[in-house]
């Protein structure tokens, strides 16, 4: 496809195509526009991806609101998911991969969740090795972590990685996405939370915890061996 776009953001059409192929393998739930993968691929996919690229590369891409879905947890409580549209999933995957290639190597070696070439099996093996050498194990969980992440602190973490301004711009736009409930009412998340269901959310969570937990433990309690 021969195209001419005034680019202010270093996103290529190829990056968008790769992102599309990746997110196709993920969740099937439709976003607020109710567009399914069948609907999306029933159109001229190349043109749809071009539009996404055109907007991302020019800095004019703005996400739609999230569709809120509640699922039942094992403890009987409800977990809220924020489902982006297909186009927003593709755009988030573009930025996620770009960020990951630049910051993942800076994460702590004992951080295992949602990282390339890292797995839960590796984490369990590290816990096993720790248990052979230490007497006490403390199992911790952060209640409603994805719901409560402070946006200002998360953006400070993005800034600390010294990434390009356009990355911060898009991350901020995704953090500010409004949420539409099942009854059609829309609400603002009030400067906190990154939606479970968002493609980029796990990476942002890792970035937040890199500074909020991993580096803090490393600095203040270097004798503790942790696995996250």
């Amino acid at each position: 496809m021969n195209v001419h776009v005034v680019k202010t953001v270093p996103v290529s059409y190829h990056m968008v195509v790769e992102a599309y192929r990746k997110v196709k393998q993920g969740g099937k739930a439709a976003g607020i526009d109710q567009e399914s993968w069948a609907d999306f691929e029933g159109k001229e996919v190349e043109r749809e991806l071009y539009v996404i690229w055109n907007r991302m590369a020019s800095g004019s891409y703005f996400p739609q609101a999230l569709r809120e879905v509640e699922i039942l947890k094992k403890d009987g409580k409800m977990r809220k998911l924020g489902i982006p549209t297909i186009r927003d999933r593709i755009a988030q995957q573009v930025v996620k991969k770009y960020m990951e290639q630049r910051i993942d190597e800076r994460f702590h070696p004992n951080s295992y969740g949602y990282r390339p070439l890292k797995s839960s099996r590796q984490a369990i093996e590290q816990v096993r090795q720790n248990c052979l050498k230490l007497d006490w194990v403390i199992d911790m969980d952060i209640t409603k972590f994805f719901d409560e992440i402070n946006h200002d602190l998360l953006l400070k973490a993005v800034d600390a990685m010294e990434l390009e301004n356009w990355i911060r711009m898009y991350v901020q736009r995704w953090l500010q996405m409004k949420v539409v409930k099942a009854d059609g009412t829309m609400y603002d998340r009030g400067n906190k939370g990154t939606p479970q269901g968002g493609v980029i959310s796990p990476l942002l969570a890792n970035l937040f915890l890199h500074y909020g937990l991993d580096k803090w433990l490393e600095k203040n309690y270097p004798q503790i061996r942790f696995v996250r």
Side-chain angles (χ1 to χ4, degrees):
M1 177 182 286
N2 295 319
V3 291
H4 299 282
V5 178
V6 178
K7 293 173 62 178
T8 58
V9 172
V11 170
S12 69
Y13 179 73
H14 176 69
M15 290 164 65
V16 175
V17 173
E18 275 196 336
Y20 155 69
R21 291 171 178 164
K22 176 69 175 178
V23 297
K24 265 187 68 176
Q25 303 168 20
K28 304 300 181 185
I32 191 63
D33 58 0
Q34 295 298 323
E35 184 177 48
S36 67
W37 279 108
D39 296 331
F40 184 81
E41 296 185 326
K43 301 173 182 177
E44 187 182 341
V45 173
E46 188 179 60
R47 181 184 180 282
E48 297 298 318
L49 297 179
Y50 166 72
V51 172
I52 295 170
W53 169 57
N54 190 357
R55 291 175 181 171
M56 289 197 76
S58 62
S60 61
Y61 186 91
F62 285 89
Q64 292 184 266
L66 296 160
R67 182 171 71 91
E68 185 176 273
V69 175
E70 292 189 337
I71 60 172
L72 187 65
K73 296 166 60 177
K74 290 181 180 179
D75 60 7
K77 296 180 181 178
M78 302 301 291
R79 170 177 288 149
K80 292 181 179 180
L81 301 182
I83 310 299
T85 65
I86 287 174
R87 288 165 178 76
D88 287 332
R89 276 178 249 179
I90 293 170
Q92 286 187 27
Q93 175 61 29
V94 170
V95 177
K96 173 182 178 287
K97 183 174 181 180
Y98 191 93
M99 288 179 67
E100 213 163 48
Q101 291 172 336
R102 287 154 179 78
I103 69 175
D104 184 77
E105 64 181 10
R106 297 171 63 178
F107 288 164
H108 198 283
N110 287 338
S111 165
Y112 289 91
Y114 304 106
R115 293 184 60 192
L117 306 179
K118 292 276 192 175
S119 71
S120 57
R121 288 187 177 183
Q122 291 174 322
I124 291 169
E125 175 57 25
Q126 185 60 56
V127 170
R128 193 182 73 83
Q129 292 295 329
N130 290 349
C131 288
L132 294 174
K133 301 170 184 176
L134 302 171
D135 297 325
W136 291 90
V137 175
I138 300 175
D139 180 22
M140 300 172 63
D141 183 41
I142 304 174
T143 303
K144 296 183 179 180
F145 173 65
F146 280 88
D147 297 333
E148 299 293 335
I149 292 178
N150 181 279
H151 290 178
D152 293 333
L153 293 178
L154 180 51
L155 289 171
K156 282 183 68 174
V158 174
D159 293 339
M161 285 291 180
E162 299 181 332
L163 297 165
E164 295 100 315
N165 290 336
W166 68 269
I167 294 177
R168 188 188 199 280
M169 174 185 72
Y170 280 133
V171 168
Q172 188 167 23
R173 287 178 188 176
W174 285 315
L175 291 176
Q176 293 173 346
M177 293 163 75
K178 295 186 183 297
V179 183
V180 178
K181 300 169 72 172
D183 63 5
T185 58
M186 182 181 291
Y187 67 91
D188 190 291
R189 283 178 289 164
N191 202 42
K192 65 179 183 179
T194 178
Q196 286 182 276
V199 172
I200 202 169
S201 293
L203 176 61
L204 296 180
N206 269 337
L207 178 55
F208 187 94
L209 288 173
H210 171 70
Y211 290 107
L213 180 67
D214 303 352
K215 299 294 286 185
W216 180 80
L217 283 173
E218 195 175 54
K219 177 181 178 181
N220 295 288
Y221 300 95
Q223 75 278 15
I224 290 178
R225 299 183 187 181
F226 72 92
V227 174
R228 182 168 69 74

